[in-house]
Amino acid sequence: MNSIPAPTIEYGTLAPLLVVFGAAVIGVLVEAFAPRYLRKSIHVPLTLLSLFGAFALVLVQVLRGQVSTVASAMGAVAVDGPALFIWGVILVLSFVCVLLINDEGHFVASAAAVPGSADEEEAEAEGSGGHTEVYPLVMFAVGGMLLFPASHDLLIMFVALEVMSLPLYLLCGLARRRRLLSQEASMKYFLLGAFSSAFFLYGTAMIYGFAGTVSLPGINQALAANAQLDPLLMLGFSLLGVGLLFKIGAAPFHAWKPDVYQGAPTPITALMASGTLVAAIGAVLRVFWVGLGNLDWNWRPVIWGVAALTMIVGSILAITQTEIKRMLAYSSIAHAGFLLVGVMATFGTAEQNAVSLKAILFYLAVYGITTVGAFAVVTLVRDPGGEAGHLSRWAGLGKRAPMLAGVFAFFLLAFAGIPLTSGFFGKYAVFAAALNSGTQPGDSMGGWMAGLVVVGVVASAIAAFFYVRVIVLMFFSEPAADGPAIAVPSAGTVAVIAVSLLVTVGVGLYPESVLGIANDAARSLFIR
C-alpha cells in the first residue's frame, strides 16, 4: 500500500502570512473568552504588533537575500520579489489604517440593533466603545490581501479572495452614523462581490477543463502546447477576468465602489481603497502575466479597452460628485485605469517587462499611502450627524483650519499627478513604461499603447479639474456660519496624516529610494 507523502511547508518563507493569520485566530479567541472591558486593550497591541512583526519578517527575507526562486507550500504560494514588495506595502497600509480604526466614534455599538431603535440607544449608552471584533476581522482581511497576489494557482487565489472579501462585507455595515446607508453599502458589496466570486470560480473551472490544472505555470504550459484557441479557454478567461476586474473597480465593473466607499466607516474605506487595490492589482499581474502569458494577443486588446474606459469613466463621473467620499471613490476608479496601463505594458523583452513591473509597484506604494492620508483628513471634518460629506460643507475650510486644508490639498495635488509629488512620478513611470513597451520590433500594439497613454494624459487633465475644484472651494470660498467642526485628532490620526504627508513629499522629491526597491523586486518574478 502506497503511503501519502507529507506536504512540505516552507514556514520561514511564509512567516509573514502565518503571523497575520495567527493574530486573527488569537483575536477570535480573545472575543470568545476575554471580558468585554479588556478586549480592546488586548486587540490593539496584538493587531499592531503582529502587523509590525510581519513587516519585519518581510524585511528580514529581503535584506538577507532570501527571496525564494521556487513556489512555496507545494507550489501554491509564490513568495517572489514582487510578492514581498506588495506584502510590505499592504502591511504598512494596514498598520496606519488600524491607527484610524482605533479612534472612537467610527463603529456602531450594536450592529444587530435596528437603526434608531431603543436597543441601539441602549448599546450606545453602555459605552462599550463599538465592536472589538473589528480587529480580528481586519486581520483576516489583511491575511487575504497578502495571500491574493502571491497565489500560484487559481484555487488558492479563490480562497484568498474570499478570506479578503468576507470580513470587508461585514465591516462595511458597521458605521456608527448613517446606519441605513452603511447597511445598504454592506449589502450591495456582498451581493455584487458574491456574483464576482462566482464568475471567478466558474472561470477557474473552465480553465481547468482546458488545461487539466489550476496551477498558473501549468496553465501557461498548456497554452504553449496548444496553439489552437479553445472555446472553453476563452470562456474561462472571460469569467476569470470579470472576477479580477471587479475587485480593482475597473469599468464597467465599478458601480459598487462609490456606494460602498460612501457608506462604509471611513477607516474601512481607507483600507479598501489602498490595501485591497494593491492586492487586486498584484493578483491581476499574477494571472495575466504568469498564467495567461501565452494569450498576450488575446487579452491585451481587452485590457486596453477596459483601461481606457476606466480612466475616462472615473475622471468624468468624479466631476459630477458632490460628496467627498464618492469623489474619492471615482478617483480610485481612475487610478485603477492608470494601473491597468502598466499591466498593458508587461509584454516585451525581459528588460521592458522589469521596467513595467517596477512602475506598477512604485505606483501602488505611493498611491496607497496618499489615499490613507486623504481619508484620514476626511474623518476630522464633521457635522453634528457625523462626517461632513457634502462638498459645500468644505467651503472655506482653508480659513477655518488652514493646516488641515493645506495637507488635504497636497494629497489632492498628488492624486492629480502634479510635479514634486509622489503621484507625478507614479504616473510618469507607468506612462513611460507603456510607451517603452510599444517599441518592441513586430509589436503591432505599439501605436495602440501610445494611444492609451494619450487617453491617460487626457483623463489626468480632466481629473485635475475636480481636484483643483475642491482646493478652490476650501481656500477661495467664505466659510458658512454653521460650518463643520474640526475634530481634535487623536495621536493615531496625527501619525497617519504625518506619515502619509512625509512619504508623499519625500518620494516626490527623492523617488529613487522607492524606485530602487521596486526595481530590485521586479527582477525576481516567477514567470513561466
Side-chain angles (χ1 to χ4, degrees):
M1 182 177 179
N2 295 328
S3 61
I4 300 175
T8 56
I9 306 296
E10 294 78 1
Y11 292 102
T13 303
L14 300 175
L17 195 66
L18 299 176
V19 166
V20 172
F21 279 123
V25 173
I26 294 173
V28 172
L29 296 177
V30 170
E31 283 296 311
F33 297 107
R36 175 172 291 185
Y37 69 91
L38 283 179
R39 290 175 189 171
K40 187 171 183 179
S41 61
I42 298 173
H43 277 307
V44 175
L46 172 66
T47 302
L48 293 176
L49 287 175
S50 60
L51 291 173
F52 180 80
F55 181 75
L57 290 171
V58 171
L59 285 183
V60 167
Q61 292 192 46
V62 174
L63 294 177
R64 289 185 176 179
Q66 293 179 345
V67 180
S68 179
T69 57
V70 294
S72 304
M74 305 293 290
V77 183
V79 189
D80 51 12
L84 287 173
F85 185 93
I86 289 174
W87 281 9
V89 171
I90 291 173
L91 290 168
V92 170
L93 296 176
S94 303
F95 187 93
V96 294
C97 286
V98 169
L99 294 178
L100 289 179
I101 290 169
N102 187 44
D103 280 357
E104 298 288 344
H106 291 300
F107 297 93
V108 67
S110 176
V114 177
S117 66
D119 291 338
E120 185 176 54
E121 294 178 1
E122 181 180 352
E124 293 284 353
E126 289 179 0
S128 58
H131 277 282
T132 52
E133 61 264 31
V134 165
Y135 296 98
L137 286 174
V138 167
M139 292 303 289
F140 276 116
V142 173
M145 292 176 195
L146 297 179
L147 184 57
F148 196 38
S151 301
H152 213 42
D153 72 58
L154 294 179
L155 280 183
I156 294 295
M157 187 171 286
F158 174 75
V159 172
L161 174 64
E162 293 305 291
V163 173
M164 175 179 70
S165 300
L166 290 173
L168 293 176
Y169 299 153
L170 295 172
L171 291 167
C172 286
L174 299 181
R176 184 173 185 178
R177 307 291 183 181
R178 295 184 290 185
R179 297 279 292 113
L180 290 176
L181 185 65
S182 179
Q183 291 178 355
E184 178 187 353
S186 178
M187 184 59 67
K188 286 180 178 178
Y189 193 22
F190 168 69
L191 292 176
L192 293 176
F195 277 115
S196 72
S197 297
F199 280 123
F200 185 96
L201 189 58
Y202 196 35
T204 299
M206 297 294 102
I207 292 177
Y208 178 79
F210 165 80
T213 179
V214 292
S215 167
L216 294 180
I219 293 169
N220 188 70
Q221 292 172 8
L223 288 170
N226 188 354
Q228 183 179 4
L229 292 180
D230 191 294
L232 201 62
L233 170 67
M234 300 308 295
L235 178 60
F237 158 70
S238 302
L239 294 174
L240 196 67
V242 169
L244 291 171
L245 294 174
F246 173 88
K247 276 302 165 187
I248 68 173
F253 314 107
H254 67 282
W256 64 274
K257 256 191 177 182
D259 291 340
V260 173
Y261 280 26
Q262 181 184 8
T266 302
I268 301 304
T269 303
L271 180 62
M272 290 191 296
S274 56
T276 303
L277 181 63
V278 172
I281 289 292
V284 168
L285 282 169
R286 186 74 62 184
V287 169
F288 282 85
W289 197 6
V290 177
L292 303 177
N294 284 310
L295 270 182
D296 284 309
W297 296 109
N298 297 280
W299 65 255
R300 289 180 80 211
V302 175
I303 298 298
W304 192 102
V306 171
L309 182 63
T310 302
M311 290 186 291
I312 293 170
V313 167
S315 299
I316 292 179
L317 292 185
I319 298 175
T320 66
Q321 303 306 308
T322 58
E323 211 275 343
I324 191 72
K325 288 170 72 175
R326 291 183 70 88
M327 187 202 76
L328 291 175
Y330 279 105
S331 169
S332 175
I333 293 168
H335 283 283
F338 297 137
L339 285 162
L340 286 176
V341 174
V343 174
M344 276 288 298
T346 54
F347 179 74
T349 64
E351 183 65 28
Q352 288 173 329
N353 288 342
V355 170
S356 303
L357 184 54
K358 174 185 73 173
I360 295 171
L361 296 176
F362 177 81
Y363 198 118
L364 289 173
V366 298
Y367 168 75
I369 196 66
T370 304
T371 298
V372 174
F375 280 108
V377 173
V378 171
T379 64
L380 299 178
V381 184
R382 299 180 183 176
D383 277 333
E387 294 164 357
H390 201 279
L391 282 178
S392 62
R393 305 294 293 161
W394 289 63
L397 185 67
K399 299 177 181 179
R400 297 171 63 93
M403 184 175 295
L404 187 69
V407 170
F408 190 65
F410 191 81
F411 289 144
L412 293 179
L413 293 176
F415 287 143
I418 301 301
L420 299 182
T421 65
S422 58
F424 169 77
F425 288 102
K427 287 185 179 178
Y428 175 81
V430 168
F431 291 161
L435 290 175
N436 183 55
S437 71
T439 61
Q440 184 185 10
D443 185 1
S444 62
M445 290 290 292
W448 287 90
M449 293 301 295
L452 187 61
V453 171
V454 171
V455 173
V457 172
V458 172
S460 297
I462 296 172
F465 171 79
F466 62 80
Y467 294 131
V468 172
R469 182 185 66 173
V470 177
I471 296 173
V472 170
L473 185 68
M474 290 191 297
F475 288 97
F476 297 98
S477 299
E478 290 298 323
D482 60 343
I486 307 302
V488 178
S490 67
T493 302
V494 171
V496 171
I497 295 175
V499 169
S500 300
L501 183 62
L502 287 175
V503 172
T504 304
V505 174
V507 177
L509 295 175
Y510 303 102
E512 294 84 1
S513 55
V514 179
L515 279 171
I517 299 172
N519 183 62
D520 293 340
R523 296 179 184 277
S524 58
L525 172 72
F526 295 165
I527 301 185
R528 301 154 194 175

